[in-house]
Amino acid sequence: MNQTIETILSHRSIRKFKNETLDQKTVETLVKCAQAASTSSYQQVYSIIGVEDSEMKKKLAVLAGGQDYVAENGYFFVFCLDYHRHMLSSVMTGADITATVQSMEGFIVGTADAALAAQNMAVAAESLGLGIVYIGGIRNNIQEVSDLLKCPDHVVPLFGLAVGVPAANPGTKPRLPMNAVFHHNTYKSDDELKNELQRYEQETAAYYAERTDGKRTAGWVSHMMAAMEVPKRTFMKDFLNKKGLNKK
Amino acid sequence: MNQTIETILSHRSIRKFKNETLDQKTVETLVKCAQAASTSSYQQVYSIIGVEDSEMKKKLAVLAGGQDYVAENGYFFVFCLDYHRHMLSSVMTGADITATVQSMEGFIVGTADAALAAQNMAVAAESLGLGIVYIGGIRNNIQEVSDLLKCPDHVVPLFGLAVGVPAANPGTKPRLPMNAVFHHNTYKSDDELKNELQRYEQETAAYYAERTDGKRTAGWVSHMMAAMEVPKRTFMKDFLNKKGLNKK
């Protein structure tokens, strides 16, 4: 085990940060780390918007569903899928790349590129003793977020990443048993998975019971199923199509 | 700068590995690192299939477009978007989660979850002195890859990750100028971006010219535009719909 692996394995999301702004050098290091990630066919289909303006951050916190730590942190980054640079490039060379940009495949590439870059930044930040939390909640009001950040067509804010000096130290959260996530050569049987899910339900029920003085006794399975019965952000497809993406 | 950031900044994809198989302990460490990544609302919408069977690896190498390093490496992982566990869970509790699973939003969540996990594994592997390369090519024949790996409905092989002891040492590849990727508060102007793109075109043209003894003189802009004129994997939407995903 080395320091990097130790950093990775001790990840927990931080939702309370000290009032200490990241200095410019640290921000640049984090962005460089993000840019060093692999990218599909060298396309680099993402942008990072660093939001420092405190009024904008407050607005984003509301739009993300009232999460204070979107406004109160050391720095707030928004990771976007971005084909706008490619569209500008196509004007420069006269190429027609519309079919690529509009495709479902192109959307997968951009989402993956943005996530790979973001996770590099997350690990780099944690290696510096900083804490992080991803904010999928910026998709709650994606049109308003996109307008606020002045994202042109073919640019979609996918998630935020709040970074800062931790002001709380929650423990790591138990992940699914490795045997429920890792398959050998072929995808495993339902019977095996069901056993793992039952085991995990008990493990997480005990985890929550301990942390809530017995008030919460539902485990991962019960909790996820209740949450997933209500579909979220059902406007996403329309929004993406309007942005010129994910059409076919 | 610490070791983790040094590791991240020195990333380059490795496409030639020594004939040394990863030991079981290393594989487990890498999977644990993947699992430690952030996951949207604790949903963990991904699976990892470790392909060790050499016949299967050879088949995957062909299906991915004849990339030898898919078969010849220390270990080959396939990262899948995976709602199958949630579907099994829904039978256990009687919840109806179809609308969530079928949604575009759900597809974003799963793709991001898989990518965050994969990038943790990539960084962990590189911190151990191993090399990695992502294989988006497994989507070239996604139906056949899905069948080979016996992926049920609601499971999509998104990309592979070949890991192993490097047998070549290519340099890092120049990324887009930070100013073309990183925006401050709001997305920047087209004029500024165009300047950066022109600068990058020259920088990458020089980079390629040097590496090909002057045979290749096109930079990133020219090269990307030529590649993106032909849309790839146009069957993706149909395939995903058939898998019960990304329908609305």
Side-chain angles (χ1 to χ4, degrees), chain B residues 131-205:
Chain B
I132 64 111
V133 62
Y134 280 94
I135 310 290
I138 64 162
R139 296 197 301 278
N140 287 355
N141 291 285
I142 197 165
Q143 180 71 63
E144 290 79 358
V145 169
S146 175
D147 292 347
L148 184 68
L149 303 175
K150 298 197 176 20
C151 294
D153 279 353
H154 312 109
V155 177
V156 174
L158 288 174
F159 44 78
L161 188 70
V163 182
V165 181
N169 189 16
T172 55
K173 242 161 139 182
R175 295 318 201 226
L176 278 161
M178 189 183 288
N179 195 34
V181 170
F182 188 52
H183 310 255
H184 191 233
N185 288 320
T186 52
Y187 200 91
K188 66 185 55 171
S189 75
D190 283 2
D191 282 347
E192 205 172 342
L193 283 177
K194 278 186 216 162
N195 283 340
E196 295 294 348
L197 288 169
Q198 265 147 4
R199 191 153 75 83
Y200 189 48
E201 171 70 4
Q202 286 164 12
E203 182 192 345
T204 44

Side-chain angles (χ1 to χ4, degrees), chain B residues 205-243:
Chain B
Y207 166 85
Y208 282 124
E210 195 198 315
R211 266 152 199 80
T212 59
D213 279 334
K215 274 178 211 140
R216 176 173 168 178
T217 53
W220 186 86
V221 172
S222 330
H223 180 63
M224 281 302 125
M225 288 307 103
M228 289 171 73
E229 277 207 294
V230 187
K232 276 161 100 172
R233 305 164 189 152
T234 48
F235 45 75
M236 199 54 70
K237 197 163 170 50
D238 286 344
F239 174 77
L240 293 176
N241 289 169
K242 230 172 70 184
K243 281 283 190 183

Side-chain angles (χ1 to χ4, degrees), chain A residues 42 82 100 104 174 184 187 228, chain B residues 42 52 82 100 174 187 228:
Chain A
Y42 202 20
D82 186 350
T100 293
M104 181 64 228
H184 192 234
Y187 199 93
M228 289 171 74
Chain B
Y42 201 19
E52 277 199 291
D82 185 351
T100 293
Y187 200 91
M228 289 171 73

Side-chain angles (χ1 to χ4, degrees), chain A residues 187-202:
Chain A
Y187 199 93
K188 66 186 55 171
S189 74
D190 284 1
D191 283 346
E192 207 172 338
L193 283 178
K194 278 185 216 162
N195 283 339
E196 294 295 348
L197 287 170
Q198 266 147 5
R199 191 153 75 84
Y200 189 49
E201 170 72 4
Q202 285 164 14

